[in-house]
């Protein structure tokens, strides 16, 4: 036998033992991923087939976790590697440098949230290019496509098509909202004073709350929600925009499928948008999942456990996903993605305003300046001037109204360090900057973002009223409630800007009053300058700004529960039809009476100060409710899945029998070959039966019928002896197979050794597509599992109905 038929492409020098997973090789590139374990953690190494290592990374996991890599999958474009980690976590790595592009979490089961199931497989299928469009006519047409808003992003290879009047088309023409401070580089003392090149450029990582991380979304695209891309700082301290992530044409509508040991398939559209769990058969492991390239149809063979390959079903189980046959799921996924970007933007604006006003661990809030100054004044009056219960507000009010200045107050104004011009400027800049930020952020960022989110939910409500979208399972009450909360949030955010604007004016008058009194306390009455402050504004700040600010109510207190009627606006029924009837009836009444043509709604002038205004709690409650709406609808694909109910696709534990003894079947390999005619794909099995008397190698070929659920009408079988022929016809060598794997749609690679020896091992190929199979008739398999098919092969072999191919089968390429 020859030993040099396989030319060595490269020799990889590995520093530690590595695992080679089934999908380790890239389908269209000369790349391979190896998995090693070092220090209790797995590492990924990407090698070129020529023998050079591109990168080596450690798998990130919790300190208490011992996760290991269980499966790999390559994106259709070959630029992303999906890595599954033991339980409920999948990370997607860039093929360029191995960095984590995004991390996916598989939600726990609603029935048992504490029970986790191990991931057993990962597959990434390309999407269908010819998805059907909506049948609703549109007066605007471009090349027979019922859409008309064509928007070109900052790339020449991607075309975004938007429907006229849709929420996304409206957001696309709106001005982009400015990025937030959390996305900018925070300068430290080291950044300011260190020598060039000594800065520690640690990357800023935002802590994303669970409600946002669990929000179903496609790849992040801020421009989709009319948001400006975030601004980042590179290692040289230069400002640079974050590179936009554009999905390639090959990855569009692709499906990342994750299987676990509870018989569930978890699908992610574009490798990002969660479509929910698809339950196949409980307590089973889905194996060799295959997707029809022309339609959203999955074919798989469940088995009882990951190691019991004999219990896998012989007949395929089919799962049809009708919602993926059109663009509806992707259109709604883009709505969900835009809503997530806007809600995350709103939450960060609120957190920024809360930090500016109340402070944080590293920042003193503007709210503390007034109470701190009051405390210092009252401490001076108590310790140095003997006042038992001093009242700073009373002292300042007497000074403002009657010009009465006590000895302690006069001493504090004239000699206190807090009354120096430098201290006053610091106080003024801190409070002024905070109030200006509250005013501007509320007007220019918070309100526009909430209005954009309201536009999206108006479209979602429209979707919920269309009968064609009943499979999505919209909850109209939840959507209506979210719209109501959005209206409350917009009103309260506008009110915050109004309050900050008024308090800023009062604060400036208060500081003018202090500077006037300080100058008066240090100079003679003859040089007294005229006051520039308004007494009423100063008194207003003393009562509701200095010690207890009204702005606190936007971050403290109960959740607002008011509606439009509490604001003096007319109360309307939530039913759209009744609201329209009321408006038409009111217009008809006004036209009947000419005196009513100048009718205006009466606006109540009642005091609204009692209304709760906690925008902090309201926004976080809104985020939870909105996420619940989109998360529920995103799982409509899984809920509407149609699974075959044929009894032949029900696995059971393989039992030892006289025909198929325990250990007789050494391995089974499988591959599905795509055919030009949809629904007639071929499934090939390679089975090694290592009996003591006569080791056999069995190859089967089964056509998947269009229904793909029942027992196949026929099966093609070929049984071969494990022997190879030499150059002379009489030179036949018996061998034992060590392993085998399908190389492509034509060649099967086997590893073998001469029978009765310990080595060496050899490799050979079998052109399984060109073999002469023996076709078996209907009813060939009497049981549902593969072990039944193996038993039937051996039975028919003993009866002489199946012949054995003795030699000239293995084509040597040693």
């Amino acid at each position: 036998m020859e030993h040099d038929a396989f030319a060595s492409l490269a020799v990889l020098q590995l520093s530690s033992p590595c695992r080679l997973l089934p999908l380790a090789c890239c389908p269209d590139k000369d790349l391979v991923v190896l998995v090693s374990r070092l220090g209790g953690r797995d590492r990924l190494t990407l090698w070129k087939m020529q023998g050079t290592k591109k990168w080596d990374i450690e798998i990130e996991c919790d300190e208490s976790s011992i996760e290991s890599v269980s499966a790999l999958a390559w994106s259709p474009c070959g630029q992303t590697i999906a890595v599954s980690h033991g339980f409920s976590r999948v990370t997607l790595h860039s093929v360029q440098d191995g960095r984590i592009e995004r991390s996916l979490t598989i939600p726990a089961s609603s029935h048992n949230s504490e029970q986790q199931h191990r991931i057993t497989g990962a597959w990434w299928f390309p999407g269908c290019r010819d998805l059907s469009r909506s049948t609703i006519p549109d007066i605007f047409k471009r090349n027979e496509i019922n859409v008309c808003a064509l928007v070109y992003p900052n790339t020449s290879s991607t075309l975004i098509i938007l429907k006229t009047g849709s929420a996304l088309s409206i957001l696309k023409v709106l001005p982009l909202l400015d990025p937030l401070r959390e996305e900018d580089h925070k300068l430290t003392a080291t950044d300011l004073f260190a020598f060039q090149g000594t800065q520690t450029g640690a990357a800023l990582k935002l802590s994303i709350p669970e409600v946002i991380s669990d929000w179903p979304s496609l790849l992040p695209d801020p421009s989709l929600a009319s948001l400006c891309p975030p601004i980042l700082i590179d290692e040289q301290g230069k400002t640079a925009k974050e590179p936009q992530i554009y999905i390639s044409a090959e990855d569009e509508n692709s499906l990342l499928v994750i299987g676990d040991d509870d018989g569930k398939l978890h699908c992610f559209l574009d490798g990002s948008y969660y479509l929910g769990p698809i339950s196949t058969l409980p307590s089973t492991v889905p194996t060799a999942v295959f997707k029809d390239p022309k339609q959203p149809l999955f074919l798989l063979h469940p088995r009882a456990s990951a190691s019991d390959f004999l219990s896998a079903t012989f007949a395929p189980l089919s799962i049809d996903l009708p919602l993926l046959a059109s663009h509806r799921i992707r259109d709604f996924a883009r709505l969900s993605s835009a809503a997530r970007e806007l809600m995350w933007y709103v939450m960060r604006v609120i957190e920024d305003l809360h930090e500016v006003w109340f402070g944080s661990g590293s920042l003193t809030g503007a709210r503390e300046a007034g109470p701190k100054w009051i405390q210092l004044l009252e401490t001076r009056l108590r310790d140095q001037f003997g006042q038992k219960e001093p009242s700073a507000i009373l002292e300042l009010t007497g000074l403002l109204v009657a010009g009465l200045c006590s000895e302690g107050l006069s001493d504090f104004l004239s000699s206190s360090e807090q009354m120096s011009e430098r201290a006053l400027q610091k106080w003024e800049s801190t409070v002024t900057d905070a109030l200006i930020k509250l005013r501007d952020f509320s007007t220019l960022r918070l309100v526009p973002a909430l209005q954009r989110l309201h536009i999206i939910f108006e479209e979602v409500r429209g979707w919920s009223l269309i009968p064609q979208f009943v499979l999505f399972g919209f909850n109209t009450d939840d959507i209506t409630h979210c719209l109501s909360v959005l209206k409350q949030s917009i009103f309260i955010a506008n009110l915050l800007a109004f309050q900050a604007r008024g308090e800023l004016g009062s604060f400036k008058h208060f500081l003018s009053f202090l500077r006037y009194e300080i100058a008066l306390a240090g100079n003679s009455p003859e040089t007294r300058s005229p006051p520039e402050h308004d007494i009423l504004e100063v008194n207003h700040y003393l009562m509701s700004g200095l010690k207890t600010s009204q702005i606190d109510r936007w971050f403290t207190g109960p959740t607002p529960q008011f509606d439009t009627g509490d604001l003096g606006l007319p109360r309307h029924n939530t039913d759209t039809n009744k609201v329209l009837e009321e408006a038409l009836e009111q217009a008809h009444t006004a036209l009947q009476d000419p005196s009513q043509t100048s009718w205006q709604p009466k606006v109540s002038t009642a005091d609204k100060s009692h209304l709760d205004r906690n925008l902090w709690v309201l926004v976080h409650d809104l985020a939870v409710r909105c996420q619940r709406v989109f998360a529920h609808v995103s799982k409509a694909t899984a809920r509407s899945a149609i699974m075959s109910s044929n009894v032949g696709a029900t696995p059971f534990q393989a039992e030892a029998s006289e025909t198929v003894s325990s250990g007789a079947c050494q391995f089974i390999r499988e591959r599905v070959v795509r055919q030009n005619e949809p629904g007639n794909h071929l499934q090939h099995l390679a089975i090694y039966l290592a009996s003591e008397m006569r080791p056999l190698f069995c190859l089967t070929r089964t056509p998947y019928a269009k229904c793909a659920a029942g027992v196949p009408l026929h099966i093609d079988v070929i049984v071969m002896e494990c022997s190879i022929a030499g150059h002379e016809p009489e030179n036949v060598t018996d061998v034992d197979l060590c392993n085998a794997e399908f190389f492509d749609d034509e060649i099967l690679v086997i590893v073998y050794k001469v029978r009765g020896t310990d080595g060496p091992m050899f490799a050979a190929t079998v052109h399984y597509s060109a073999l002469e199979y023996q076709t078996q008739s209907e009813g060939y398999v009497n049981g549902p599992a593969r072990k039944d098919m193996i038993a039937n092969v051996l039975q028919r072999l003993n009866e002489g109905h199946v012949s054995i191919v003795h030699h000239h089968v293995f084509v040597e390429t040693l």
Side-chain angles (χ1 to χ4, degrees), residues 138-255:
D138 198 318
I139 61 174
F140 301 99
K141 287 189 177 184
R142 297 295 184 271
N143 297 327
E144 299 302 323
I145 299 178
N146 292 324
V147 289
C148 71
L150 305 179
V151 183
Y152 294 86
N154 297 328
T155 176
S156 59
S157 60
T158 304
L159 174 64
I160 296 180
I161 304 178
L162 302 174
K163 292 183 179 180
T164 304
S166 64
L168 296 181
S169 68
I170 295 175
L171 297 184
K172 207 67 181 179
V173 299
L174 295 177
L176 300 180
L177 298 182
D178 295 334
L180 302 177
R181 184 176 61 86
E182 286 87 348
E183 297 166 340
D184 298 337
H185 184 66
K186 296 182 178 181
L187 295 178
T188 62
T190 304
D191 297 321
L192 294 174
F193 302 108
F195 291 103
Q196 186 176 4
T198 62
Q199 295 93 334
T200 56
L204 178 63
K205 293 186 177 181
L206 297 176
S207 57
I208 301 179
E210 184 178 356
V211 65
I212 297 298
S213 61
D214 294 343
W215 195 304
S217 171
L218 297 172
L219 296 180
D221 184 7
S223 62
L224 190 66
S226 71
L227 300 176
C228 187
I231 298 176
L232 302 178
I233 303 297
D234 56 16
E235 297 178 355
Q236 288 76 24
K238 297 180 180 179
T239 302
K241 287 190 176 182
E242 183 182 27
Q244 293 297 299
I245 303 177
Y246 292 109
I247 187 169
S248 66
E250 295 178 273
D251 285 351
E252 186 174 351
N253 297 318
S254 63
L255 283 178

Side-chain angles (χ1 to χ4, degrees), residues 746-761:
E746 297 180 354
I747 297 177
L748 173 71
V749 178
I750 63 170
V751 178
Y752 67 93
K753 63 181 179 180
V754 178
R755 188 176 303 169
T757 64
D758 294 332
M761 293 185 182

Side-chain angles (χ1 to χ4, degrees), residues 16-164:
S16 60
C18 296
R19 289 183 289 143
L20 189 65
L21 298 179
L23 298 179
C25 296
C26 182
D28 59 351
K29 297 179 178 64
D30 292 335
L31 300 172
V32 61
V33 177
L34 300 180
V35 183
S36 60
R37 194 160 186 86
L38 183 63
R41 292 189 176 183
D42 279 355
R43 298 185 65 88
L44 287 182
T45 307
L46 183 69
W47 292 81
K48 290 185 177 181
M49 291 298 187
Q50 291 76 17
T52 58
K53 182 169 64 174
K54 292 197 65 176
W55 45 259
D56 184 11
I57 61 171
E58 185 179 81
I59 297 299
E60 295 184 4
C61 60
D62 300 333
E63 295 182 357
S64 59
S65 176
I66 54 174
E67 293 181 345
S68 60
V69 175
S70 57
L72 294 175
W74 295 79
S75 65
C77 69
Q79 297 297 322
T80 305
I81 308 172
V83 181
S84 63
H85 310 258
F87 298 94
S88 70
R89 198 168 74 95
V90 180
T91 54
L92 282 82
H93 299 258
S94 171
V95 76
Q96 302 298 329
D97 52 10
R99 63 180 175 86
I100 296 180
E101 294 180 341
R102 55 192 181 277
S103 181
L104 307 176
T105 301
I106 298 176
S109 174
S110 57
H111 303 288
N112 191 352
S113 58
E114 297 181 357
Q115 184 178 5
Q116 291 183 327
H117 297 281
R118 179 171 293 276
I119 297 175
T120 58
W123 305 267
W124 204 330
F125 303 104
C128 299
R129 298 297 182 86
D130 54 349
L131 296 179
S132 60
R133 286 283 182 181
S134 173
T135 57
I136 301 175
D138 198 318
I139 61 174
F140 301 99
K141 287 189 177 184
R142 297 295 184 271
N143 297 327
E144 299 302 323
I145 299 178
N146 292 324
V147 289
C148 71
L150 305 179
V151 183
Y152 294 86
N154 297 328
T155 176
S156 59
S157 60
T158 304
L159 174 64
I160 296 180
I161 304 178
L162 302 174
K163 292 183 179 180
T164 304

Side-chain angles (χ1 to χ4, degrees), residues 518-783:
I518 291 172
L520 185 62
N523 299 310
S524 59
E526 290 78 8
T527 60
R528 180 173 182 176
S529 58
E532 298 180 357
H533 55 272
D534 188 329
I535 295 179
L536 296 179
E537 291 289 345
V538 177
N539 181 71
H540 181 266
Y541 190 76
L542 291 176
M543 296 295 103
S544 62
L546 182 60
K547 193 173 184 180
T548 57
S549 175
Q550 288 294 319
I551 294 181
D552 296 351
R553 298 179 59 185
W554 274 261
F555 305 100
T556 59
T559 305
Q561 301 292 338
F562 62 86
D563 57 15
T564 55
D566 298 325
L567 305 177
L569 300 176
R571 299 178 185 268
H572 290 297
N573 195 299
T574 56
D575 189 347
T576 306
N577 294 329
K578 293 185 177 180
V579 171
L580 181 59
E581 291 176 1
E582 292 178 2
L584 292 176
E585 182 180 357
Q586 194 174 41
H588 181 72
T589 303
L591 291 174
Q592 294 296 327
D593 186 1
S595 63
Q596 297 294 322
T597 54
S598 60
W599 173 88
Q600 292 293 334
K602 295 181 180 179
V603 180
S604 174
T605 58
D607 185 20
K608 306 298 187 302
S609 60
H610 65 284
L611 298 178
D612 297 320
R613 309 176 185 182
N614 193 341
L615 190 59
W616 170 270
V617 174
L618 188 63
V619 165
H620 285 76
D621 178 69
L622 176 65
V624 173
R625 292 181 180 274
C626 293
Q627 188 270 345
R628 188 184 308 160
V629 170
F630 286 103
H632 175 74
V633 177
S634 70
K635 299 180 179 65
T637 302
R639 289 194 302 269
S640 61
I642 303 173
M643 187 177 63
S644 64
S645 57
N646 190 282
V647 294
T650 304
F652 55 88
Q653 291 288 345
E655 301 177 357
S657 63
E658 296 180 358
T659 308
V660 184
S661 60
S662 178
C665 182
Q666 296 297 314
F667 59 77
I668 295 181
R669 300 292 182 261
E670 54 189 309
R671 181 181 181 88
V672 177
V673 177
R674 298 176 180 178
Q675 298 295 311
N676 294 329
E677 184 178 353
N680 284 338
H681 311 291
L682 298 177
Q683 187 213 26
H684 289 267
L685 294 179
I687 307 168
Y688 180 48
L689 302 175
S691 63
E692 296 180 359
M693 298 297 295
R694 185 171 51 178
L696 300 174
F697 193 45
C698 178
L699 296 176
T700 68
R701 182 176 63 189
T702 306
Y704 279 152
K706 292 184 179 180
C707 58
V711 175
L713 298 179
H714 66 275
I715 177 175
D716 300 332
V717 180
I718 184 171
V719 180
M720 299 173 287
E721 282 189 337
C722 296
S723 61
I724 61 174
H727 295 289
E728 300 296 333
E730 63 275 6
N731 293 337
V732 178
T733 305
D734 294 332
V735 298
D736 292 326
L737 298 189
C738 302
N739 209 334
E741 190 60 70
F742 287 95
F743 182 75
D744 55 18
D745 291 349
E746 297 180 354
I747 297 177
L748 173 71
V749 178
I750 63 170
V751 178
Y752 67 93
K753 63 181 179 180
V754 178
R755 188 176 303 169
T757 64
D758 294 332
M761 293 185 182
F762 303 92
T765 59
V766 179
H767 291 271
Y768 67 93
S769 62
L771 297 177
E772 296 181 0
Y773 291 84
Q774 303 178 47
T775 301
Q776 305 299 315
S777 61
E778 183 178 358
Y780 171 68
V781 178
N782 298 321

Side-chain angles (χ1 to χ4, degrees), residues 346-358:
V346 168
M347 293 178 67
R348 283 177 289 171
V349 170
I350 291 293
E351 290 187 9
D352 196 1
L353 297 181
H354 183 275
E355 179 180 339
V356 166
W357 188 245
F358 283 100

Side-chain angles (χ1 to χ4, degrees), residues 493-515:
N494 278 308
L495 201 60
L496 173 60
F498 175 79
Q499 182 69 34
R501 188 179 296 108
E503 188 158 320
L504 177 60
S506 300
F507 175 71
K508 290 182 177 180
H509 283 280
F510 172 72
L511 285 184
S512 178
F513 161 69
L514 286 183
R515 287 190 171 94

